[in-house]
Amino acid sequence: MGDLCDISLTVNFDFTVTTQNKVTVECRAVGENAELFSLSTKVDLLFPNVLPTEQKSYTITITIIAVLVTMMIITIITAAVVILMSIREYSEKATRFIDHLKAKYEIIYESVQPIPFIKDRMYCVDKYLLGGIEYMTGISEGKVQWDKLLSYQELVKENCLQTKRQIIEGEPGYGKSTLTLQLLYDWCKSLSKSPLRGVDVIIYLRLRQLGAVESIFSAIRQFILPMDSDISEKDIKEILNHMSSVLVLLDGFDEYPDQESTETDIYHIMKKNMFQGFNVILTTRPSCVPQNVAPHLDRVRLTGFFEEARRKYVGKAVVGKCGEAVDIIMRKLEENPVLDDLCQVPLFFVMFAHITYENEHSLTFNSVTSFFRYMISCFHSHMKNKMKDENVTNFELFEHEHKLLDKIVFEALSGKNQKLLWNREQLRNQLGHEFYDQYLRIGIFVEEEVLNIADTPNVQIHIQYNTEVHFYHKTFCEWYAAHYVAEQLSSGNIDCIDYFLQNVDPFDLQYLYRFACGLNKIAAKKIIQYLQQKNESKKFAILCMLEQEDKTERFLNSVSSLVSSEVTYFNEDDSKLLQRSTLQILDIASKHQYTRTQVDKYTTTQVHKYSVWTSLRRRELPNSLSNEVIVLYIPVI
């Protein structure tokens, strides 16, 4: 078993009769591998008449020990040969395993597309830029303290991974997956300045694929290694156990179907019941941070794109140069005040920049719904331009008629466990082949081949590939589900909105609510009332209100109801978008009052590095709202 120990054996021989004073004893190797060794030894035993019996026994004992030592040498040499052969075989498998990983990762990060329908241009992940990153340093007076990180590379330095477990949280589209792909790129390219140069292996898994896959070794075999690889799950476990440095990247806990299960390896890894010596990074939306392990882990959050990062991205990945071309796109962004906040989300800014660059006309958007509607139309029109005339009619039909898809997606998001992956053939049969193929061509659907190892004695079908389908981004999934919500609420088909939306968390699926409010006014009224009934989502209702582009009487009544129900507060923990949205709502409430309404505004400059504090003081509000005095302190960053 690889251990060494001393063995001694004493045998007493009694020579009562001998015809000679010398006996020759020969020790030789016998057995299966005896021909590999030349270890024959001869020993002469002398029996002179004057030799005492004690000396006889002593001589014989030495002889027998010599024989045993010889046999032990044979055994050790044989074991050494076997060990050397095993080490060589292990080393070859480990090398192939790492080669397989890098080949898979290169396919992933070299096929990044800023907009799915721009398939004629591929972008490597190194053309992207990551937004702001903050690291949790502790808790003071009940408040979480955050410090900025200068670079994403600091995430994988030893002084940052103190607990060997790290959660990276960010809102939808903030670049969580892009960050993990950047780490893969650095490792595969062995970048000289990267702290990942000393990492032997990185394991990267998309958690949305791991539904009902309890073993992480099975997941690695199915979703990373090629179909014809001879490396088994047992080999993977042995290889990882022999590595001195391993980093595990688990992307998208918010999309993981088995979040609540305590039987999976993912659960045990985060609880440190597995891979205790490995560094592990888990990405997720803030609303889906696993609370049972979060207090004991390192925390990081992504804060989005600001102006400097936007300009760098445009120069690096859009126009390919700096200067005037960059300024043109940035000016178009400034023309859209709503998008200025929205484009802090890297996903939206990237799409806005590329779409704007290809469009000669200035575009104005008043809500996230209007922007997303235009973006979806770009997906279809880009492909429509490449189609023959006789196919255009069908293309337009599929663009606007997607009710079946809306229902399928809503049911997937509102279930107990969200479903974000579909079997290709099943979904294709449900939607119809033409519809499915169109959405696949324009990039809204994305196919992935995954290895399925069936539990069957039939060797021919034991290992096979299955094709699974997901949306380009979860936000696209929310777009189509929002259409179903808007239709059901506006048509009066829903008697109890609480039951209808009970599993649709507004903080996990915020864009579903916002899109639904932007798509239909009647649905918006019901959704806003529903959100205002819950203390935790009252502020979120503000974002939903601003999705209604035309300020109708119904919209103004909703505003009146919101601002008159209680004092409106600003919180420094609120997002910049929510702060500005709250101010916008109050501004609308002020502008639509009677002529006797007076608003006295003044500003005072405080000694603050980045902020000018604005105070809105004493509003005389009409009886339809409230007569109370509202004092607001708003940090304008």
Side-chain angles (χ1 to χ4, degrees), residues 70-111:
T70 302
M71 298 305 294
M72 285 177 65
I73 292 173
I74 296 171
T75 303
I76 291 171
I77 292 175
T78 305
V81 171
V82 173
I83 291 171
L84 288 172
M85 292 174 66
S86 298
I87 291 174
R88 181 180 177 184
E89 182 181 2
Y90 161 77
S91 179
E92 291 176 350
K93 279 192 175 181
T95 301
R96 288 201 308 278
F97 177 68
I98 293 174
D99 290 342
H100 290 330
L101 296 182
K102 291 187 174 182
K104 177 69 172 182
Y105 299 158
E106 286 176 2
I107 293 173
I108 296 173
Y109 68 66
E110 287 182 351
S111 302

Side-chain angles (χ1 to χ4, degrees), residues 152-153 156 183 186-187 190-198:
Y152 71 92
Q153 294 180 335
V156 288
L183 294 176
D186 290 1
W187 178 67
S190 300
L191 298 184
S192 58
K193 295 182 180 180
S194 173
L196 292 173
R197 287 196 69 189

Side-chain angles (χ1 to χ4, degrees), residues 384-448:
K384 190 189 306 180
N385 293 334
K386 296 184 177 182
M387 300 289 288
K388 296 179 181 179
D389 291 341
E390 58 267 21
N391 291 330
V392 171
T393 302
N394 288 337
F395 224 96
E396 290 176 345
L397 178 64
F398 293 145
E399 177 181 355
H400 301 289
E401 293 297 327
H402 42 74
K403 290 186 178 181
L404 183 55
L405 176 63
D406 301 341
K407 182 178 181 181
I408 291 173
V409 172
F410 174 78
E411 291 175 348
L413 291 179
S414 61
K416 185 178 180 181
N417 295 319
Q418 289 185 9
K419 178 181 178 180
L420 297 168
L421 279 176
W422 290 265
N423 176 274
R424 176 185 183 273
E425 293 306 319
Q426 290 179 359
L427 185 62
R428 196 163 181 254
N429 290 334
Q430 280 182 284
L431 298 174
H433 292 193
E434 288 184 287
F435 182 99
Y436 176 90
D437 292 342
Q438 175 175 317
Y439 277 63
L440 180 67
R441 283 196 301 269
I442 64 179
I444 293 178
F445 289 164
V446 179
E447 291 184 346
E448 286 182 335

Side-chain angles (χ1 to χ4, degrees), residues 281-327:
I281 295 178
L282 178 82
T283 73
T284 184
R285 296 186 181 194
S287 59
C288 293
V289 171
Q291 297 300 324
N292 57 339
V293 297
H296 310 290
L297 308 184
D298 300 325
R299 298 280 292 278
V300 174
R301 67 180 181 184
L302 305 184
T303 57
F305 267 180
F306 294 98
E307 185 173 357
E308 183 181 357
R310 295 174 189 173
R311 295 187 70 89
K312 284 183 178 179
Y313 177 80
V314 173
K316 188 175 183 181
V318 182
V319 300
K321 55 186 175 181
C322 296
E324 185 178 354
V326 175
D327 292 336

Side-chain angles (χ1 to χ4, degrees), residues 442-592:
I442 64 179
I444 293 178
F445 289 164
V446 179
E447 291 184 346
E448 286 182 335
E449 284 192 333
V450 296
L451 188 63
N452 180 39
I453 304 178
D455 186 15
T456 172
N458 191 334
V459 179
Q460 293 182 348
I461 60 172
H462 179 64
I463 298 178
Q464 59 183 352
Y465 272 114
N466 284 341
T467 302
E468 294 182 339
V469 185
H470 63 88
F471 282 81
Y472 170 72
H473 192 273
K474 190 177 179 180
T475 309
F476 288 75
C477 199
E478 294 179 54
W479 169 257
Y480 290 99
H483 282 76
Y484 181 78
V485 172
E487 182 187 11
Q488 294 299 307
L489 293 179
S490 62
S491 62
N493 294 335
I494 305 303
D495 296 326
C496 181
I497 188 173
D498 293 81
Y499 179 78
F500 180 57
L501 298 175
Q502 63 178 339
N503 292 324
V504 184
D505 183 358
F507 298 101
D508 178 37
L509 301 168
Q510 62 157 306
Y511 288 108
L512 187 155
Y513 282 88
R514 294 170 69 178
F515 290 149
C517 289
L519 290 169
N520 187 278
K521 300 172 188 176
I522 298 175
K525 180 182 178 181
K526 294 181 179 179
I527 289 173
I528 291 168
Q529 289 177 346
Y530 168 75
L531 294 172
Q532 288 177 334
Q533 293 171 2
K534 305 175 183 295
N535 288 329
E536 66 275 8
S537 58
K538 281 184 178 180
K539 282 193 174 184
F540 176 65
I542 294 173
L543 295 177
C544 293
M545 283 183 185
L546 293 178
E547 292 303 316
Q548 301 173 75
E549 296 187 49
D550 54 335
K551 305 303 183 276
T552 61
E553 188 66 28
R554 184 181 287 112
F555 171 79
L556 295 175
N557 289 336
S558 298
V559 172
S560 171
S561 174
L562 179 68
V563 300
S564 64
S565 60
E566 58 182 32
V567 177
T568 302
Y569 293 97
F570 283 81
N571 193 316
E572 63 181 348
D573 293 330
D574 291 343
S575 67
K576 186 179 177 184
L577 177 59
L578 183 53
Q579 288 184 10
R580 289 195 179 183
S581 300
T582 306
L583 184 58
Q584 236 178 315
I585 287 293
L586 292 171
D587 188 46
I588 292 170
S590 172
K591 288 179 179 177
H592 288 80

